C-alpha cells in the first residue's frame, strides 16, 4: 500500500463521518447518547471504557471513575499494551494516549474518522477508519505515524489479531457496495505485508481469532462466518446486526449487537444469552471466561460473572 504521509510524534488527524451504510453505527440507534463505544483492559482491575463526548471511565476492580480525556470528540475504540500505554481514537481524527498519569489528545484537519485501534506492543500499533469515502490505516512504530489508503476499501471498522505476524483489518469493500450480501473486506497481515483474503460475505463490523485457522467475523447484515484455515463457513441463514466480538479461546467466544443481542460460542454451538438490556451493544472485553464486560448505547455497561449479566452503570 502506498504511504500517504508520515507525521513525527502523535498523529494529528481529524474527521467527518460518512452517511448511509458506512456510518460508524446504524442511524436507527443513538450512538452518542451517553453511550459507550469501546472497552479494553490489561486486567480485571484495570479496564477502560470510552464513548460519547470524549468520555473515559476506568474500572479499578471495585468501581468506575471518570477521567479527563483531553478531547470533546466522541471516542470510538480503545486498546493498550499495558497499564501505562493505552490509546483511544475517534471522531475528528482524535487520538488520545494514556501514559499512566494522564490522557493527552490531538487531532487535525477534520477529514478523517478513526473507528479502530489495535496493536501488539508500544512500538507496533494500527488505527483504521474512513476518509472522504475511502478506508485507510495508520501505523505507529513508537516514534512516528505512517498512513495508507487501503485498496478497494470504503471503510475499516475493526482491527485485531493474535500477534505481530497475524493481524486483520475488516471493513467494507468499495467496489461492491451495491451488493450488500458480498461487500465485506478482510485483509490479513503476516508480519511483512497486508493481503486481501477470500472472505465472501457482507460488510464486516468486528472479528476475533484464536489462531490463523480459527477466525470468526461478524457482518453488518449477514450471518456470522468462520475460517478454519482453508474455507469459510456461514452460521445459518439469518442476518445479524452484530458489532463486537471477543473471546478467551476457540471454546469461549462472545458477540453482541442490536437490541441487546448477545451470543456465546462454547466450541460447538452459538447460544443466545439474556443481556438484561435492549440497548445497542457496541463492544466486548474481558479478562477471563467469568469476567466479561459489554457496553453500548444509553449508558449500557454490563458485567458477566460466569452465570449472568448485571448492570455496571445505571442506564
Amino acid at each position: 500500500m502506498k504511504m500517504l504521509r508520515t507525521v513525527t510524534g502523535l498523529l494529528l488527524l481529524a474527521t467527518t463521518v460518512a452517511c448511509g451504510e458506512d456510518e460508524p453505527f446504524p442511524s436507527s440507534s443513538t450512538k452518542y447518547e451517553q453511550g459507550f463505544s469501546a472497552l479494553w483492559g490489561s486486567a480485571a482491575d484495570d479496564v477502560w471504557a470510552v464513548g460519547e463526548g470524549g468520555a473515559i471511565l476506568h474500572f479499578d476492580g471495585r468501581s468506575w471513575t471518570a477521567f479527563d480525556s483531553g478531547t470533546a470528540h466522541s471516542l470510538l475504540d480503545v486498546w493498550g499494551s499495558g497499564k501505562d500505554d493505552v490509546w483511544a481514537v475517534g471522531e475528528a481524527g482524535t487520538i488520545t494516549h494514556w501514559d499512566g498519569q494522564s490522557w493527552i489528545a490531538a487531532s487535525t484537519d477534520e477529514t478523517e474518522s478513526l473507528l479502530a485501534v489495535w496493536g501488539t506492543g508500544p512500538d507496533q500499533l494500527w488505527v483504521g477508519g474512513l476518509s472522504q469515502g475511502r478506508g485507510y490505516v495508520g501505523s505507529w512504530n513508537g516514534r512516528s505515524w505512517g498512513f495508507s489508503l487501503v485498496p478497494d476499501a470504503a471503510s475499516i471498522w475493526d482491527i485485531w489479531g493474535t500477534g505481530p505476524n497475524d493481524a486483520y483489518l475488516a471493513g467494507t469493500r468499495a467496489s461492491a457496495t451495491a451488493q450488500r450480501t458480498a461487500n465485506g473486506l478482510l485483509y490479513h497481515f503476516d508480519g511483512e505485508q497486508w493481503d486481501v483474503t477470500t472472505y465472501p460475505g457482507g460488510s464486516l463490523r468486528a472479528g476475533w481469532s484464536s489462531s490463523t485457522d480459527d477466525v470468526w467475523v461478524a457482518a453488518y447484515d449477514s450471518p456470522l462466518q468462520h475460517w478454519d484455515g482453508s474455507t469459510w463457513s456461514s452460521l445459518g441463514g439469518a442476518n445479524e446486526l452484530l458489532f463486537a466480538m471477543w473471546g478467551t479461546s476457540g471454546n469461549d467466544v462472545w458477540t453482541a449487537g442490536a437490541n441487546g443481542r448477545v451470543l456465546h460460542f462454547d466450541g460447538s454451538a452459538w447460544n443466545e444469552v439474556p443481556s438484561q438490556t435492549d440497548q445497542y451493544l457496541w463492544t466486548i472485553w474481558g479478562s477471563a471466561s467469568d469476567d466479561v464486560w459489554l457496553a453500548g448505547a444509553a449508558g449500557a455497561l454490563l458485567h458477566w460473572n460466569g452465570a449472568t449479566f448485571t448492570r455496571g452503570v445505571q442506564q
Side-chain angles (χ1 to χ4, degrees):
M1 293 183 287
K2 182 180 178 181
M3 299 306 297
L4 297 184
R5 64 182 183 274
T6 300
V7 182
T8 300
L10 270 180
L11 162 66
L12 302 180
L13 287 174
T15 190
T16 53
V17 175
C19 297
E21 197 273 339
D22 272 317
E23 290 177 349
F25 296 93
S27 58
S28 60
S29 71
T30 308
K31 162 67 176 168
Y32 300 128
E33 187 175 316
Q34 300 177 349
F36 301 106
S37 55
L39 293 160
W40 178 85
S42 68
D45 59 356
D46 179 39
V47 186
W48 294 96
V50 304
E52 183 266 337
I56 292 185
L57 299 182
H58 181 260
F59 183 70
D60 62 5
R62 299 178 301 277
S63 61
W64 289 90
T65 303
F67 278 72
D68 182 1
S69 67
T71 181
H73 293 297
S74 292
L75 297 170
L76 303 177
D77 203 8
V78 60
W79 177 87
S81 68
K83 289 179 179 291
D84 59 357
D85 179 42
V86 186
W87 299 82
V89 301
E91 291 182 329
T94 298
I95 293 181
T96 184
H97 180 252
W98 171 259
D99 61 5
Q101 300 296 322
S102 62
W103 288 90
I104 301 174
S107 63
T108 59
D109 57 13
E110 300 185 2
T111 61
E112 294 157 332
S113 185
L114 293 171
L115 307 174
V117 57
W118 184 83
T120 62
D123 299 333
Q124 187 175 44
L125 181 77
W126 291 284
V127 297
L130 61 107
S131 174
Q132 300 180 350
R134 297 290 304 278
Y136 74 100
V137 63
S139 61
W140 169 256
N141 62 12
R143 300 176 303 279
S144 63
W145 288 91
F147 291 86
S148 300
L149 291 176
V150 180
D152 199 27
S155 59
I156 298 298
W157 292 89
D158 196 16
I159 308 172
W160 77 92
T162 63
N165 300 320
D166 179 37
Y168 291 89
L169 296 174
T172 304
R173 187 183 298 275
S175 62
T177 53
Q179 302 172 14
R180 294 177 64 86
T181 59
N183 65 344
L185 184 70
L186 185 65
Y187 273 81
H188 179 256
F189 183 70
D190 62 4
E192 298 292 334
Q193 64 182 16
W194 292 94
D195 293 307
V196 68
T197 72
T198 60
Y199 169 72
S203 177
L204 291 173
R205 291 300 184 269
W208 182 85
S209 51
S210 66
S211 66
T212 56
D213 58 0
D214 180 31
V215 182
W216 288 97
V217 293
Y220 178 76
D221 58 358
S222 302
L224 281 165
Q225 294 206 42
H226 181 257
W227 172 256
D228 64 5
S230 59
T231 59
W232 287 97
S233 58
S234 176
L235 179 67
N239 290 350
E240 305 282 357
L241 286 174
L242 299 170
F243 311 122
M245 297 194 81
W246 176 86
T248 64
S249 70
N251 298 324
D252 180 32
V253 188
W254 294 86
T255 186
N259 305 316
R261 185 88 186 277
V262 176
L263 301 173
H264 178 256
F265 183 69
D266 61 7
S268 59
W270 286 90
N271 297 293
E272 189 157 2
V273 181
S275 68
Q276 313 301 325
T277 184
D278 60 0
Q279 299 294 336
Y280 274 50
L281 296 171
W282 306 120
T283 180
I284 309 169
W285 183 86
S287 68
S289 59
D290 59 354
D291 177 36
V292 182
W293 290 93
L294 281 78
L301 187 55
L302 311 170
H303 182 255
W304 173 258
N305 61 10
T308 187
F309 280 107
T310 57
R311 296 185 179 185
V313 169
Q314 184 177 358
Q315 297 183 51

